[in-house]
């Protein structure tokens, strides 16, 4: 599915009001944990209570949010005790020991305890090795139940749609459902749209989840650009800076435009798409050019990040993202299919 088809009408004044920020968040370990924890609760409720949605439709972003919430919780505990926070992302390092409940590592092994969670954000690592085998299957139910049992102050287990055994079976996630970066982007799009609809339905307020919302929107954009580079140009796309990815995509577009009839409808549409995508990338990159600002509240030597968020910033980003949705889904693949030459298209390299 495309995000465009599953969002509420962003032209509606009531929708716009609900997607307008009332209070700008302050960057701290406590506020970031609280916001990610709110998203985790919202997604758990959707997965267990929504009759038309199942965890497997947004499993990868859900697992990232789940894992990242725990990382933020542990770093918040260190910060509250005045203990120096290491620039590491594993969840089983010694400094966390006193905060971990019994059975933490074995019960939450599915969350990439010894890694950094990149396996839930990307298909493969920087050496082009895929994170999961086609035969892998991830259990989501058991770690959710374990974590909530040990964190009743922060999360509540919703009533199950069916008996526990059936829900556990429904929460099995075969990783072959998400075989490439295009389907991974669809999962992140789905997750973002579910949360936007939850805001519109009054189940959560935008002020409570704005930070992870921005992360998800930025990551959707990054995956869309990378999908065009990987599937359209057969090039690697390991850089996380969306400005660099955009330059590659636009260079390919410009090459195709030289062969296109300047009086054709397609030519005009491509020019409009270039304008929209450039505006969106500039708008989002100004807020986070490294994929870190909306994941961690500090940078470098524990300096607070700058949150360049205004009351309608997210709404404006979402409107622009909608305008670019079909472009991000398959622009270069479509031009390649139609026979237009794309820059470097004859020199395929390893893809991510």
């Amino acid at each position: 599915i495309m995000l465009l088809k599953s969002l509420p009408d962003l032209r509606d004044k009531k929708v716009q009001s609900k997607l307008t920020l009332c209070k700008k968040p302050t960057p701290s370990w406590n506020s970031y944990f609280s916001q990610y924890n709110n998203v985790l609760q919202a997604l758990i409720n959707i997965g267990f209570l929504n009759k038309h949605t199942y965890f497997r439709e947004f499993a990868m972003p859900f697992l990232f949010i789940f894992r990242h919430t725990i990382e933020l919780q542990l770093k918040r505990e260190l910060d509250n005790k005045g203990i120096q926070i290491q620039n590491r992302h594993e969840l089983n390092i010694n400094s966390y020991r006193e905060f971990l409940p019994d059975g933490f590592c074995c019960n939450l092994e599915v969350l990439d305890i010894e890694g950094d969670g990149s396996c839930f954000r990307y298909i493969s690592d920087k050496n082009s090795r895929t994170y999961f085998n086609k035969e892998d299957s991830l259990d989501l139910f058991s770690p959710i139940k374990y974590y909530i049992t040990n964190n009743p102050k922060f999360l509540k287990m919703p009533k199950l749609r069916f008996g526990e055994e059936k829900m556990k079976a429904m929460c099995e996630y075969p990783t072959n459902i998400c075989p490439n970066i295009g389907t991974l982007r669809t999962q992140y799009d789905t997750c973002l749209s579910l949360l936007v609809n939850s805001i519109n339905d009054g189940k959560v307020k935008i002020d409570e989840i704005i930070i992870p919302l921005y992360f998800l929107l930025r990551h959707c954009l990054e995956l869309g650009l990378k999908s065009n580079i990987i599937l359209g140009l057969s090039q690697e796309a390991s850089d996380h800076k969306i400005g660099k990815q955009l330059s590659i995509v636009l260079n390919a577009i410009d090459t195709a435009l030289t062969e296109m009839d300047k009086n054709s409808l397609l030519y005009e549409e491509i020019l409009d798409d270039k304008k929209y995508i450039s505006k969106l990338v500039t708008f989002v990159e100004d807020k986070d050019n490294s994929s870190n600002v909306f994941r961690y509240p500090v940078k470098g030597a524990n300096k607070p990040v700058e949150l360049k968020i205004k009351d309608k910033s997210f709404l404006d980003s979402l409107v622009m993202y909608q305008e670019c949705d079909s472009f991000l889904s398959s622009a270069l693949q479509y031009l390649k299919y139609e026979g237009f030459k794309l820059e470097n298209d004859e020199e395929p390299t390893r893809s991510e």
Side-chain angles (χ1 to χ4, degrees), residues 5-54:
K5 296 181 178 179
S6 51
L7 284 177
D9 185 357
L10 300 181
R11 297 166 299 181
D12 186 287
K13 296 295 183 182
K14 291 182 179 179
V15 175
Q16 291 178 357
S17 176
K18 292 177 181 178
L19 293 177
T20 298
L21 193 66
C22 294
K23 184 179 180 180
K24 180 180 174 180
T26 302
S28 69
W29 291 108
N30 188 60
S31 65
Y32 270 55
F33 163 70
S34 177
Q35 294 237 338
Y36 271 85
N37 189 70
N38 290 337
V39 167
L40 180 59
Q41 181 71 71
L43 292 177
I44 287 173
N45 289 342
I46 290 169
F48 283 130
L49 300 177
N50 192 319
K51 295 180 180 179
H52 307 292
T53 307
Y54 296 96

Side-chain angles (χ1 to χ4, degrees), residues 118-133:
S118 292
C119 58
F120 306 129
R121 293 190 293 141
Y122 303 105
I123 293 295
S124 56
D125 62 20
K126 293 181 180 179
N127 297 313
S128 298
R129 291 190 296 262
T130 55
Y131 287 112
F132 296 105
N133 297 317

Side-chain angles (χ1 to χ4, degrees), residues 133-182:
N133 297 317
K134 291 181 179 179
E135 297 78 21
D136 289 340
S137 182
L138 306 179
D139 168 26
L140 304 185
F141 184 85
S142 299
I144 291 171
K145 183 179 179 182
Y146 168 83
Y147 184 66
I148 290 177
T149 300
N150 284 280
N151 283 272
K153 179 181 177 181
F154 302 120
L155 291 172
K156 292 181 172 58
M157 191 74 168
K159 293 181 179 180
L160 304 182
R161 276 184 262 172
F162 307 103
E164 186 169 310
E165 286 304 311
K166 186 171 182 179
M167 282 304 301
K168 185 174 181 180
M170 292 172 67
C171 287
E172 283 289 325
Y173 175 70
T175 55
N176 61 9
I177 288 177
C178 192
N180 59 51
I181 196 166

Side-chain angles (χ1 to χ4, degrees), residues 54-324:
Y54 296 96
F55 277 112
R56 64 177 55 191
E57 296 176 32
F58 57 97
M60 286 303 186
F62 171 77
L63 286 166
F64 170 76
I65 295 290
F66 193 174
R67 186 195 189 284
H68 198 62
T69 301
I70 295 174
E71 182 180 345
L72 291 171
Q73 181 180 3
L74 293 171
K75 288 181 174 177
R76 185 192 72 152
E77 294 293 342
L78 294 181
D79 186 59
N80 288 342
K81 290 183 175 290
I83 302 173
Q84 184 176 2
I85 298 172
Q86 297 174 270
N87 187 24
R88 297 176 62 179
H89 304 295
E90 307 97 308
L91 300 180
N92 60 347
I93 58 178
N94 288 334
S95 54
Y96 294 152
R97 289 279 168 86
E98 67 173 290
F99 308 120
L100 300 180
D102 292 339
F104 177 86
C105 289
C106 60
N107 281 283
L108 296 180
E109 185 179 10
V110 69
L111 296 181
D112 190 30
I113 296 294
E114 297 180 1
D116 65 358
S118 292
C119 58
F120 306 129
R121 293 190 293 141
Y122 303 105
I123 293 295
S124 56
D125 62 20
K126 293 181 180 179
N127 297 313
S128 298
R129 291 190 296 262
T130 55
Y131 287 112
F132 296 105
N133 297 317
K134 291 181 179 179
E135 297 78 21
D136 289 340
S137 182
L138 306 179
D139 168 26
L140 304 185
F141 184 85
S142 299
I144 291 171
K145 183 179 179 182
Y146 168 83
Y147 184 66
I148 290 177
T149 300
N150 284 280
N151 283 272
K153 179 181 177 181
F154 302 120
L155 291 172
K156 292 181 172 58
M157 191 74 168
K159 293 181 179 180
L160 304 182
R161 276 184 262 172
F162 307 103
E164 186 169 310
E165 286 304 311
K166 186 171 182 179
M167 282 304 301
K168 185 174 181 180
M170 292 172 67
C171 287
E172 283 289 325
Y173 175 70
T175 55
N176 61 9
I177 288 177
C178 192
N180 59 51
I181 196 166
T183 52
L184 181 62
R185 182 205 165 211
T186 298
Q187 288 215 356
Y188 271 85
D189 274 0
T190 299
C191 185
L192 178 60
S193 63
L194 287 170
L195 291 170
V196 170
N197 279 293
S198 289
I199 294 171
N200 189 50
D201 293 339
K203 296 176 181 176
V204 63
K205 295 179 179 178
I206 190 169
D207 288 40
E208 299 170 338
I209 62 172
I210 186 62
I211 293 171
L213 274 182
Y214 259 115
F215 161 75
L216 288 169
L217 188 144
R218 188 203 177 280
H219 199 62
C220 288
L221 177 56
E222 180 182 336
L223 292 175
L225 291 167
K226 285 185 172 182
S227 177
N228 273 278
I229 295 169
I230 292 170
L231 303 178
L233 296 175
S234 300
Q235 291 185 28
E236 290 183 345
S238 58
D239 197 297
H240 300 324
K241 293 189 175 180
I242 54 179
K244 289 185 178 180
Q245 298 158 17
L246 176 64
S247 295
I248 296 172
V249 172
L250 293 186
N251 284 338
I253 292 289
D254 287 341
T255 301
L257 286 173
T258 62
E259 300 183 335
M260 206 174 292
D261 179 1
K262 291 180 173 55
N263 295 315
S264 66
L265 180 60
L266 178 61
Y267 186 86
E268 293 298 325
E269 289 177 345
I270 293 294
L271 288 181
D272 285 342
D273 285 338
K274 279 187 62 179
K275 179 178 67 177
Y276 290 137
I277 192 67
S278 298
K279 183 179 178 182
L280 174 60
V281 169
T282 300
F283 192 80
V284 174
E285 191 174 38
D286 178 61
K287 293 165 178 52
D288 183 2
N289 67 355
S290 62
S291 188
N292 288 320
V293 171
F294 298 111
R295 288 193 292 146
Y296 301 101
V298 299
K299 62 180 179 179
N302 273 334
K303 292 177 59 178
V305 298
E306 183 182 2
L307 292 174
K308 298 180 180 180
I309 300 175
K310 296 181 179 179
D311 55 351
K312 293 186 182 295
S313 293
F314 180 74
L315 175 61
D316 292 341
S317 301
L318 203 57
V319 169
M320 286 188 278
Y321 187 69
Q322 253 192 340
E323 291 172 339
C324 300

